[in-house]
Amino acid sequence: AFVPPASARVERASQELVQQHVASAVLAAAAALPQPVLALASSDDDEGFDFRFIAVLGLPVVAASWALFNVWRVAFRQGVRLNEGLSGSSKLGLNAED
């Protein structure tokens, strides 16, 4: 009982503030609803096969497979060299052109 009760005016102001926040939240939620997107081309226009997905998916797959091929090839050659001799020399197993 050390704090006096809030006055009715303060309570009314806080209720109005809450109502304003609720109204703004409703407006923000309505603005955030997904809107239908207008199509640039009509359904009558059939442009044929779309190659964009090949560029988006195919080119990174090719790049990743090439990188994995090179890493696997080097790792395999290193494993072969290490298993060929007991000396541990990095030059063992290399040809003249390597």
Side-chain angles (χ1 to χ4, degrees):
F2 296 110
V3 179
S7 66
R9 187 175 62 186
V10 172
E11 290 177 8
R12 198 174 332 117
S14 67
Q15 287 176 354
E16 289 175 4
L17 185 63
V18 167
Q19 289 175 352
Q20 288 175 354
H21 285 295
V22 168
S24 63
V26 167
L27 286 174
L33 288 175
Q35 300 295 323
V37 178
L38 298 175
L40 295 177
S42 68
S43 61
D44 297 335
D45 298 335
D46 187 18
E47 296 179 9
F49 187 72
D50 190 12
F51 288 97
R52 287 182 292 180
F53 79 93
I54 292 177
V56 170
L57 299 175
L59 294 177
V61 167
V62 169
S65 63
W66 181 253
L68 288 174
F69 168 73
N70 286 328
V71 169
W72 174 253
R73 182 175 55 112
V74 171
F76 180 73
R77 287 175 60 195
Q78 184 177 3
V80 168
R81 279 192 219 137
L82 289 175
N83 291 331
E84 279 182 353
L86 299 175
S87 68
S89 172
S90 62
K91 300 294 183 183
L92 187 64
L94 288 177
N95 296 332
E97 62 272 358
D98 289 339

